[in-house]
Amino acid sequence: MLPQEYYYIKIGSSQDLVIPKERLIYRLLETIPGILALTTLVGVFLISWQAPIFAAFFIIAFDIYWLFKTAYLSLHLRSAFKKVKENLKINWLSKLIQNEELRTKNWNDIYHLIILPFYNENFETICSSIESLRSANYPKDKMIIILAVEERMGKSAIEIAEKINNLFGDKFFKFLITVHPKDLINEIPGKGSNIAFAGKVSKEKIIDALKIPYKNVIVSAFDIDTIIYPDYFSRLTYVYLNTENRQNFSYQPVPFYTNNIWPAPALSRVVAFSATFWHTLQQERIERLTTFSSHSMPFQALVDVDFWQKNMVSEDSRIFWQCLLKNNGDYGVIPLYFPVKMDANAAPTFWQTMKNLYKQQRRWAWGCENIPYVFFGFWKNKKIPLRKKWYYGWIYLEGFWSWSTNAIIIFFLGWLPIILGGEAFRQTLLAYNLPQITRWIMSLAMIGIVTAAYLTIFILPPQPEGYGKHKYLMMIFQWPLLLITMIIFGSIPALESQTRLMFGKKFRLGFWVTPKH
């Protein structure tokens, strides 16, 4: 149980607070992302109308900033990708066995608790995920598998779980099926509430029952479509044991959205690769790194914050902030520079894929619900250094602000001074040169697309039968579609999520499960 002084760590929204002053403050904080984004976009319109010369210089300066940012991120991407490639070539179990220092740390005392929540995914998806665990280059007698079923999916889900248990139940140290009850109060149905329930059950029935020290357990919360590379847990154990103050860090792999990349539509592939490359380069920016999707962390840290939250959607990143607040700022994320494979968004039809893709991006963008949580937690926790509060607060807010506005400003609003600035401005030399200048700067910024196209070939899984060589070319020439995806599957869903958060309870998003196909 959390100490009473840390009650705010379990807050999901302003509605969870009982003190009127605190509820009002939290509610005001919920409006900040939406107000900032909308004010920015409306402001560009107004400035282009009332001060077109200033707006033109602002747009040029913004495009130059975007050019340098693209070059900066491309360098990070190349550096991180090189480290990932090198790590994939290493037999990490051999390094564990041969390292004298790690033998003294008793690396083989480390247990891995893997929680796999599933909703309505098919047997083949679940089977593939657990088969990859069975093939892991790590002692199976140190692996505990928790298959977390949702009761609301009915008898069919239980039958699938039992079938999986019959296939794999005796292949690991422990294999446990948990059934998350439906319609529990103060819960949002979804991954967070399911894995929180599974975590508590596994603590009681396995970890505590067998008296396994918490410090010897690393818990991994994986999406059900996660396919690990064989050396994932050996790499994780190696990094964990070589990290000073290891209990105060989470450990983040790189999600490669490539399981079904070949048959996915081009737009879906671009979004999947974009997400893959973004999370790859984030490994280089450890100061900005938070947990996302499939992640690993010390079991002790999880117990200390009373597991994942059950009353919100973006539990994957929220667990990092819970730990940061509980440890008074002394918590971070270690990049593993090691991938796990996951599904690209694909459905039986093109338009259903586009619809699902938008909903998935909107759910990811709903991570903006963590902004008021972080700011409120910083206000309540007086032990976190002020400098750290300002730093985290700024980079997190700026990240979501950029997500919802930058692409719109770059690709749509650059023409506004010419359209709205009036005839007097249109007769100026600046108005004549503005389109040429912005076009030239954006052409230079295409370095990001070139880098992405180059790296695409190296992370593609083996080509399935029935796909000709022309498909490889399509993987490269699809990248101009990024200009579309940045708007439709980037800024717009992010803007919608932030606006929904601003308008409050009736517009809040629930957890949407991405269909697997």
Side-chain angles (χ1 to χ4, degrees), residues 428-447:
T428 64
L429 185 62
L430 178 60
Y432 175 78
N433 287 316
L434 180 60
Q436 285 77 16
I437 293 173
T438 56
R439 188 182 302 113
W440 179 74
I441 296 173
M442 287 298 98
S443 296
L444 290 177
M446 294 288 284
I447 183 176

Side-chain angles (χ1 to χ4, degrees), residues 12-191:
S13 70
S14 56
Q15 300 299 314
D16 296 330
L17 292 162
V18 296
I19 301 175
K21 177 184 176 182
E22 292 184 346
R23 181 182 296 179
L24 176 61
I25 291 174
Y26 200 106
R27 182 70 196 98
L28 291 174
L29 292 173
E30 288 177 331
T31 66
I32 289 178
I35 289 176
L36 182 60
L38 293 174
T39 299
T40 299
L41 298 178
V42 172
V44 172
F45 275 91
L46 293 178
I47 294 173
S48 297
W49 175 35
Q50 295 294 326
I53 294 178
F54 175 83
F57 280 112
F58 168 78
I59 290 169
I60 292 172
F62 190 86
D63 287 348
I64 293 174
Y65 155 76
W66 184 261
L67 170 63
F68 280 106
K69 183 176 182 179
T70 300
Y72 170 77
L73 295 179
S74 295
L75 291 174
H76 272 313
L77 176 58
R78 287 173 176 268
S79 176
F81 188 76
K82 181 180 178 181
K83 294 176 183 178
V84 171
K85 286 181 64 179
E86 291 172 351
N87 284 333
L88 283 171
K89 297 176 183 178
I90 297 172
N91 186 319
W92 289 99
L93 182 61
S94 294
K95 288 182 72 72
L96 285 174
I97 296 172
Q98 296 169 7
N99 190 298
E100 182 66 33
E101 182 181 353
L102 295 186
R103 283 204 298 269
T104 62
K105 293 180 181 179
N106 296 320
W107 71 266
N108 54 351
D109 287 342
I110 299 298
Y111 287 85
H112 289 275
L113 174 68
I114 302 106
I115 302 178
L116 298 167
F118 85 95
Y119 177 60
N120 60 354
E121 291 81 8
N122 58 51
F123 171 80
E124 290 75 15
T125 296
I126 304 169
C127 191
S128 297
S129 179
I130 299 182
E131 175 61 32
S132 74
L133 298 176
R134 191 192 66 80
S135 301
N137 189 26
Y138 195 84
K140 307 306 179 298
D141 60 351
K142 300 297 180 181
M143 296 174 65
I144 303 167
I145 311 301
I146 311 297
L147 188 55
V149 183
E150 287 281 8
E151 182 188 33
R152 58 197 170 108
M153 285 312 298
K155 185 179 179 181
S156 60
I158 302 295
E159 291 175 348
I160 290 176
E162 293 293 349
K163 187 176 180 181
I164 293 290
N165 184 42
N166 290 336
L167 284 174
F168 297 102
D170 60 348
K171 302 299 190 296
F172 304 93
F173 175 61
K174 294 291 180 182
F175 193 104
L176 177 66
I177 297 172
T178 62
V179 181
H180 176 226
K182 61 181 179 181
D183 301 328
L184 295 179
I185 61 172
N186 298 323
E187 281 195 2
I188 293 179
K191 180 184 172 184

